[in-house]
């Protein structure tokens, strides 16, 4: 058999076959003179590339830390704006309708963004069960958060929701097989002490809805862990679409029982903008990660606390008290320690939505 080289002619050195050339095999089991059997090399499977985050060449963009910081701060500004508008709409409409508007407008936004290039391939998934459960966790997180901010100040809600990365540390061991060090466990404990400082159970200022935000952070942490489970199996855009697709379908079944026709076009516009703001926020996170490593950018995600204070003050005349600032400082410090110790020095762009930002 001659495989991968030409037949040698006396006095000449065998030369390698050019790529794609047919390979000749001698069949020595036949009685008649040897015949040549021609077999074409197997064609390599065609890879489908649908990433809108990295350029078409597959190369990671140059290290541009200032652009990374800019996009991370932009994302941390979009989320408080969305949460403030959701709280504003929750005063006139049921949480179910607000969540439905946020999810459906997000779905329409990402489909308009990705389908022109990817077509219906974008809904093909090799992990349908994981994608379904992942989307259920996200819609649960959003529903709990939007319900809670009817009663809880925006800044207080944001500070409690920063515990999501800490809960990921707890879940990463049993669900992802990641090693959890004692120092990271202690950071998680410090973070939850900060939650107790913010919530102050048993005090006169205790608000039961704060517990909904803890539940929201837990659901969002599970969503992040499940997002890691589908990385490498589905395109990032597919994960983004499923994040909104399942929630939109589920909430479309529920919302007729709570429907209230928007009182004005401005209300309808605000409701429709919720998903656009959320989509832009997640896009900016993913974009930021292409310019700088995650461990470098992680401190800037807490700009959301500043944005939440500003939104709460200008829209609702809310101002955090000293205990909220102290608890938020403990939670943020713990989150920074976990993020900086747990991230590799270099990072590739994560799927949009697979961020350490609080639920939105």
């Amino acid at each position: 058999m001659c495989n991968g080289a030409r037949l040698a002619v006396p006095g000449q050195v065998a030369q390698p076959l050019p790529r794609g050339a047919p390979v000749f095999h001698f069949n020595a089991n036949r009685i008649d003179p040897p015949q040549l059997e021609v077999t074409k090399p197997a064609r390599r499977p065609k890879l489908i590339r649908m990433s809108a985050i990295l350029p078409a060449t597959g190369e990671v963009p140059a290290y541009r830390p200032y652009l990374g910081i800019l996009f991370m701060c932009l994302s941390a500004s979009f989320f408080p704006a969305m949460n403030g508008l959701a709280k504003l709409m929750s005063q006139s409409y049921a949480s179910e309708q607000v969540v439905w508007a946020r999810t459906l407008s997000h779905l329409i936004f990402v489909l308009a963004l990705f389908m022109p290039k990817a077509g219906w391939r974008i809904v093909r998934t090799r992990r349908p069960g994981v994608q379904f459960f992942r989307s259920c966790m996200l819609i649960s997180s959003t529903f709990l958060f939007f319900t809670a901010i009817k009663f809880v100040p925006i800044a207080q809600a944001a500070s409690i929701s920063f515990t999501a990365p800490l809960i990921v540390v707890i879940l990463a061991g049993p669900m992802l097989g990641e090693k959890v060090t004692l120092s990271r466990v202690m950071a998680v404990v410090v973070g939850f002490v900060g939650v107790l400082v913010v919530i102050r159970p048993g005090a006169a200022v205790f608000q039961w809805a704060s517990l909904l935000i803890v539940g929201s952070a837990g659901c969002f942490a599970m969503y992040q862990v499940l997002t890691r489970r589908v990385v490498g199996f589905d395109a990032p855009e597919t994960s983004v679409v499923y994040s909104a697709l399942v929630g939109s379908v589920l909430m479309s079944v529920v919302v007729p029982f709570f429907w209230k026709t928007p009182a004005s076009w401005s209300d309808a516009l605000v409701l429709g903008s919720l998903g656009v703001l959320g989509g832009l926020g997640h896009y900016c996170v993913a974009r930021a990660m292409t310019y700088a490593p995650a461990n470098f950018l992680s401190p800037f995600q807490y700009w959301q606390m500043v944005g939440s204070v500003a939104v709460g003050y200008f829209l609702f005349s809310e101002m955090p008290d000293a205990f909220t600032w102290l608890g938020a400082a403990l939670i943020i410090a713990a989150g920074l320690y976990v993020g900086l110790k747990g991230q590799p020095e270099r990072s590739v762009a994560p799927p949009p939505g697979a961020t350490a930002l609080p639920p939105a």
Side-chain angles (χ1 to χ4, degrees):
M1 180 179 71
C2 178
N3 187 5
R6 297 182 186 275
L7 293 175
V9 178
Q12 295 184 1
V13 179
Q15 299 295 325
L17 285 170
R19 185 175 181 181
V23 179
F24 298 92
H25 299 274
F26 277 10
N27 189 343
N29 296 322
R30 301 183 60 172
I31 299 176
D32 52 349
Q35 301 291 325
L36 288 178
E37 296 178 357
V38 181
T39 58
K40 293 185 178 181
R43 297 181 64 183
R44 298 178 63 183
K46 186 178 180 180
L47 298 178
I48 299 175
R49 181 181 185 85
M50 296 195 300
S51 177
I53 303 302
L54 297 179
T57 60
E59 298 179 357
V60 178
Y63 179 66
R64 298 177 180 177
Y66 295 111
L67 276 177
I69 294 171
L70 173 63
F71 276 104
M72 186 61 76
C73 290
L74 280 175
S75 73
S77 301
F78 284 129
F79 289 130
M82 182 192 68
N83 294 336
L85 293 177
K87 182 180 177 73
L88 192 65
M89 290 294 98
S90 295
Q91 297 175 356
S92 304
Y93 303 94
S95 298
E96 290 80 2
Q97 185 171 351
V98 177
V99 173
W100 170 81
R102 185 259 185 269
T103 308
L104 183 62
S105 57
H106 188 176
L107 176 64
I108 295 172
F109 175 74
V110 297
L111 286 177
L113 187 64
F114 297 134
M115 281 200 71
K117 288 185 65 176
W120 288 107
R121 294 174 300 175
I122 202 169
V123 297
R124 295 177 186 171
T125 173
R126 287 186 284 175
R127 291 292 184 271
V130 178
Q131 290 285 13
F132 176 80
F133 189 48
R134 172 178 166 271
S135 186
C136 288
M137 288 295 98
L138 182 60
I139 194 65
S140 299
S141 174
T142 304
F143 179 77
L144 291 172
F145 190 88
F146 279 11
T147 301
I149 58 177
K150 284 184 178 181
F151 313 100
V152 178
I154 294 290
Q156 184 177 343
S159 62
I160 298 172
S161 67
F162 284 135
T163 56
L166 306 180
I167 301 175
V168 170
V169 174
I170 300 173
L171 298 176
M175 295 191 65
L176 298 175
E178 296 181 1
K179 183 180 179 181
V180 181
T181 63
L182 179 61
S183 61
R184 299 185 79 194
V185 172
M186 294 305 298
V188 172
V189 172
V190 171
F192 280 102
V193 169
V195 173
L196 293 177
V197 173
V198 174
I199 295 178
R200 281 162 281 172
V205 295
F206 171 71
Q207 175 55 257
W208 64 269
S210 300
L211 300 178
L212 297 180
I213 303 175
V214 177
S216 172
C219 291
F220 191 72
M222 179 66 75
Y223 163 79
Q224 286 185 282
V225 171
L226 293 174
T227 297
R228 296 187 192 179
R229 296 287 293 270
V230 298
V231 170
F233 293 99
D234 290 338
E237 292 81 2
T238 298
S239 294
V240 173
V241 169
Y242 272 94
S243 297
L245 177 61
V246 177
S248 297
V249 173
L250 293 177
M251 293 310 300
S252 295
V253 175
V254 174
V255 75
F257 300 99
F258 302 92
W259 179 259
K260 177 183 176 182
T261 303
S264 63
W265 282 104
S266 60
D267 281 6
L269 182 62
V270 171
L271 288 169
S273 70
L274 297 178
V276 176
L277 289 171
L280 287 173
H282 286 298
Y283 171 79
C284 287
V285 172
R287 193 70 180 175
M289 295 296 179
T290 67
Y291 292 119
N295 58 344
F296 172 79
L297 294 173
S298 60
F300 298 96
Q301 67 183 336
Y302 295 106
W303 175 260
Q304 184 169 345
M305 186 65 189
V306 177
S308 297
V309 172
V311 169
Y313 178 77
F314 286 109
L315 290 183
F316 309 103
S317 300
E318 299 171 347
M319 182 58 67
D321 58 18
F323 286 98
T324 300
W325 284 113
L326 175 61
L330 291 174
I331 296 169
I332 291 173
L336 286 174
Y337 181 85
V338 167
L340 295 175
K341 289 294 181 180
Q343 296 281 2
E345 287 301 318
R346 296 188 65 82
S347 174
V348 292
T355 71
L357 286 168

